Every structure is written in C-alpha cells, then in structure tokens.
Amino acid sequence: NQLVALPPGIWTLNALNNLMLDNNQLRVPPAVVIAKGTKAIMAYMKVIDSASTSRKVDLTSMSLTDFPHEVIAMSGITDLKLTNNYLARIPPEISEMVHLRRVQISYNQLTALPASFGLLPALAALNLEGNQVSVLPAGLANLSTLVVLKLDFNAIQELPPEICNMSH
C-alpha cells in the first residue's frame, strides 16, 4: 500500500477493533502511535481531527519521539499538551503557532528550547517540568503575557538575566 495519511473521521468507526497498517508510508499518525495499536491510532486521529474546533491538542502519553509536524500547521491552536512522551527537541517552527496560550511539554527528554519560543505573542503558561533543559533562551523575556513558567526537575543552574528582568 501507499497510504501517507488516514482519512479524517476514521476515529468515529466505533466498531473497528483491529486496524492493520503495515507496509504503508504513513506520516499521520506517526509509526510509534501505529505500533501501539488500534486504540492509540483512533485516539491520536480524534485529537488531530478535533483540534480545528476545540483549538486544543493533547497528545499525552503517545510515546512520541518527534514533534508531530501536522500540529505546526494548525495555526489556531491555543493549548498544546505533549506531556509524558520522548521528545528530545521542539522545532523552531513552533513560532508559527502564534495563538498558543498554554504549552505543556513536561516529562519528555528536552535539553533545550528553540529561541523561537520567544516569538509566541499569546503564551501565558509554559510547563517544562521533568525534562533535562539546562539553558533557557533569553527570548523568553519577550513574552509579555507569560504568567506561569514551570521548570521543576530540569538541569537549569541559572536563569538568563533577561528573564530575571522581565516586566509586564
């Protein structure tokens, strides 16, 4: 087969118990989700399909190793939750998600954030708890709407002076 994506609404097939997708070229959902089986595939597709109306993406505990590229294309998303996955990096294109208000990427394997995080004009809450972040981009100081910054359980030894001088 040559499938690259599943059709919208596939998650509404409630009676579907076994979806075999071997030997395809699927990009959505990612291979790690497909490997978890039919329930995980349906849950992932429901989140992706519903995001345009809910404006939320919650892909918690999906075993993701790469940031889902289809999420970047969702410009109206306000809430992004990628907690408890295996993400090692966030692409700089996250700055294209200008409506993001809340980002929760806790308990992953992040060691750094792209400087482009400082270009998210609506960001009010950023949760990076439980990663291995050692340095924060100075551009976070540009986030005039940021009121919650959770950095517990990381490798940060000092905050950039720009962040310490933030004013709203």
Side-chain angles (χ1 to χ4, degrees):
N1 294 325
Q2 302 269 328
L3 289 175
V4 292
L6 295 177
I10 193 167
W11 58 271
T12 62
L13 300 174
N14 297 326
L16 186 63
N17 289 322
N18 197 354
L19 179 60
M20 305 303 292
L21 297 167
D22 295 337
N23 296 319
N24 279 290
Q25 315 281 318
L26 286 172
R27 288 185 295 245
V28 179
V32 293
V33 174
I34 293 170
K36 290 178 78 170
T38 303
K39 285 186 180 184
I41 294 167
M42 298 305 221
Y44 188 95
M45 295 308 296
K46 181 177 182 179
V47 169
I48 297 304
D49 287 352
S50 306
S52 61
T53 53
S54 71
R55 299 179 61 122
K56 297 178 182 180
V57 171
D58 184 348
L59 295 172
T60 297
S61 300
M62 287 282 181
S63 301
L64 299 175
T65 55
D66 294 311
F67 194 94
H69 65 88
E70 61 274 14
V71 171
I72 295 290
M74 299 176 182
S75 63
I77 301 302
T78 60
D79 293 76
L80 177 61
K81 190 172 181 183
L82 298 169
T83 297
N84 199 29
N85 282 291
Y86 301 98
L87 300 176
R89 67 177 289 278
I90 304 299
E93 294 82 10
I94 195 162
S95 63
E96 296 171 19
M97 300 180 74
V98 297
H99 300 288
L100 278 177
R101 282 189 257 152
R102 287 171 290 283
V103 174
Q104 187 167 338
I105 311 177
S106 53
Y107 299 99
N108 277 277
Q109 298 174 350
L110 299 176
T111 56
L113 289 180
S116 60
F117 247 96
L119 302 173
L120 294 169
L123 192 63
L126 176 58
N127 184 343
L128 298 171
E129 183 178 7
N131 281 286
Q132 292 120 33
V133 175
S134 58
V135 177
L136 292 173
L140 289 181
N142 299 330
L143 301 175
S144 62
T145 55
L146 189 66
V147 292
V148 175
L149 180 60
K150 294 183 101 178
L151 302 171
D152 323 46
F153 307 107
N154 275 284
I156 298 169
Q157 294 186 8
E158 67 179 358
L159 294 174
E162 296 87 353
I163 291 176
C164 297
N165 298 323
M166 283 177 74
S167 65
H168 286 51

